[in-house]
C-alpha cells in the first residue's frame, strides 16, 4: 500500500509538471538568492501530490519544499520536492523531476524520482534494490578517479568559505576530471545509482532534494555520506554519493 501510494503520488506530480512545461508566461516568484524560483507548477505539483497522500494516509507527517512541515504524530514522514531542478524547469530544460521519499521512525525506507521528460522513473525500497523503469540498476565499478565522471551543484545563496564550492570544483577540473552540473540533486543521485555518473557531491542541499536519491543510490550499491565522510542525514546540508569504490578518493580530493 505504501509503495503504491508513493508511486501514485509521484506520477500525479509528474503529470502536473508535464502540463505546465514550456507554458508561456509561467507565473514565477523568487525565493532567497539570486535566481531561486518557485513557479505555479511547483505549487500545483505539490497540491496534486498532497491529495494522493492525504486520501490514503491523512495522519502522516509531510515535509515539502514549498509548504514546509505539516507535523503529525506519526512515525511516517513524506519528504517531497514537487519539482527538483526548478531553474531547469523554468528555463524549459527537461532535466528536472518529482522527488518523494518516505521516512519511517527516522529512517528513509523508500524513494521515488520521476523525470517524465526522459520517461525515467527511479524507485528504491530498503533492502530490495533500486530500479529504473522496473529494471535493476547498479553503480559503476570504476576505481580510477582520473577516469571518473562526477557531478556537483551550487547553492542559490553562495557562502565563501575555506573549502567552498568554487575551491572544491577546482581540485577536479584542474586535473582534467570530467564534471557535470545537472541542476537537480535528485537526478544527480539517480544517475550515480544508474551508473551514468561515478560520484556526486554538493555543499548545501535540502532534505527534499536528497532524500529519495539517497536511498536509490544506497540500494544500487553506492555509498552516501556527508562531506566529512560521516553517515548521511537528509537534515544536514553536505552530501557525497559515489559508487563506493571511489568514495575515499573523492573525500581526499575535496579536502586536498
Ligand atoms: C536544486 C538542487 C540542485 C542545487 C540547486 C537547487 P531545486 O533544487 O536539486 O542540486 O544545485 O541549487 O537547490 O531548488 O531545484 O528544488
Amino acid at each position: 500500500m505504501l509503495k503504491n501510494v508513493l508511486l501514485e503520488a509521484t506520477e500525479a506530480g509528474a503529470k502536473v509538471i508535464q502540463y505546465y512545461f514550456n507554458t508561456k508566461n509561467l507565473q514565477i516568484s523568487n525565493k532567497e538568492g539570486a535566481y531561486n524560483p518557485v513557479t505555479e507548477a511547483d505549487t500545483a505539483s505539490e497540491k496534486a501530490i498532497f491529495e494522493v497522500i492525504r486520501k490514503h494516509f491523512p495522519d502522516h507527517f509531510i515535509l515539502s519544499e514549498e509548504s514546509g512541515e505539516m507535523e503529525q504524530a506519526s512515525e511516517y514522514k513524506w519528504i517531497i520536492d514537487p519539482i527538483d531542478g526548478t531553474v531547469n524547469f523554468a528555463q524549459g530544460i527537461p532535466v528536472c523531476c518529482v522527488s518523494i521519499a518516505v521516512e519511517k521512525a527516522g529512517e528513509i525506507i523508500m524513494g521515488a524520482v520521476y523525470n517524465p521528460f526522459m520517461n525515467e522513473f527511479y524507485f528504491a525500497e530498503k533492502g530490495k534494490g533500486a530500479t529504473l523503469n522496473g529494471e535493476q540498476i547498479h553503480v559503476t565499478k570504476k576505481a580510477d578517479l582520473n577516469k571518473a565522471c562526477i557531478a556537483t551543484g551550487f547553492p542559490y545563496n553562495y557562502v565563501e568559505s575555506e573549502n567552498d564550492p568554487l575551491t572544491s570544483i577546482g581540485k577536479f577540473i584542474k586535473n582534467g576530471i570530467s564534471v557535470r552540473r545537472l541542476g537537480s540533486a535528485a537526478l544527480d543521485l539517480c544517475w550515480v545509482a544508474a551508473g551514468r555518473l561515478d560520484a556526486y557531491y554538493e555543499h548545501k542541499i535540502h532534505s527534499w532534494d536528497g532524500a529519495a536519491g539517497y536511498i536509490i543510490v544506497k540500494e544500487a550499491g553506492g555509498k552516501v555520506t556527508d562531506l566529512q565522510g560521516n553517515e548521511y542525514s537528509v537534515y544536514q546540508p553536505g552530501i557525497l554519493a559515489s559508487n563506493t569504490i571511489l568514495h575515499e578518493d573523492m573525500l581526499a580530493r575535496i579536502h586536498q
Side-chain angles (χ1 to χ4, degrees):
M1 176 68 165
L2 197 64
K3 175 180 176 181
N4 290 342
V5 173
L6 172 58
L7 298 179
E8 184 186 344
T10 306
E11 283 162 358
K15 199 171 288 179
V16 167
I17 70 173
Q18 279 181 290
Y19 170 81
Y20 279 96
F21 191 68
N22 272 337
T23 297
K24 296 283 175 272
N25 309 318
L26 191 67
Q27 286 174 35
I28 301 177
S29 55
N30 201 61
K31 298 185 285 191
E32 83 282 354
Y35 183 21
N36 179 7
V38 53
T39 73
E40 60 185 304
D42 290 270
T43 46
S45 169
E46 190 176 67
K47 182 171 179 288
I49 293 164
F50 287 0
E51 280 171 8
V52 173
I53 297 169
R54 286 286 178 243
K55 181 170 68 179
H56 297 280
F57 303 118
D59 62 343
H60 282 190
F61 190 136
I62 290 180
L63 166 60
S64 185
E65 178 172 11
E66 308 313 339
S67 297
E69 287 193 328
M70 284 145 274
E71 285 201 50
Q72 299 264 21
S74 167
E75 65 174 341
Y76 288 96
K77 181 192 292 186
W78 296 71
I79 305 173
I80 301 164
D81 194 338
I83 305 180
D84 189 58
T86 302
V87 169
N88 287 351
F89 180 88
Q91 296 288 123
I93 300 168
V95 181
C96 40
C97 59
V98 173
S99 176
I100 305 177
V102 180
E103 181 190 275
K104 180 182 180 183
E107 184 180 20
I108 303 294
I109 58 168
M110 224 176 270
V113 174
Y114 183 18
N115 177 354
F117 310 107
M118 293 178 71
N119 189 29
E120 293 196 338
F121 199 121
Y122 298 86
F123 174 76
E125 183 173 357
K126 184 170 168 51
K128 296 185 179 178
T131 57
L132 165 55
N133 297 342
E135 298 294 321
Q136 287 287 332
I137 51 176
H138 200 272
V139 296
T140 66
K141 299 194 181 323
K142 198 169 292 179
D144 181 356
L145 181 58
N146 291 314
K147 298 286 187 296
C149 183
I150 69 172
T152 190
F154 311 111
Y156 291 114
N157 38 10
Y158 195 89
V159 177
E160 302 277 351
S161 64
E162 187 190 2
N163 196 21
D164 65 7
L166 190 59
T167 308
S168 304
I169 196 171
K171 297 169 187 173
F172 295 98
I173 58 179
K174 286 176 182 174
N175 291 284
I177 293 170
S178 297
V179 181
R180 301 292 177 268
R181 200 284 198 248
L182 299 181
S184 165
L187 290 176
D188 288 322
L189 289 160
C190 288
W191 287 22
V192 171
R196 291 181 184 154
L197 294 169
D198 302 297
Y200 153 72
Y201 74 93
E202 190 158 351
H203 288 69
K204 190 163 45 171
I205 65 171
H206 292 98
S207 54
W208 46 76
D209 297 322
Y214 158 67
I215 189 169
I216 291 167
V217 170
K218 296 259 290 187
E219 287 298 321
K223 182 172 183 178
V224 189
T225 67
D226 65 11
L227 291 180
Q228 283 64 45
N230 305 309
E231 178 62 24
Y232 177 63
S233 159
V234 300
Y235 303 109
Q236 55 81 41
I239 187 168
L240 169 62
S242 76
N243 66 1
T244 304
I245 303 164
L246 288 171
H247 212 82
E248 292 310 311
D249 287 348
M250 282 293 297
L251 282 171
R253 184 60 61 91
I254 289 168
H255 296 287
Q256 194 173 43

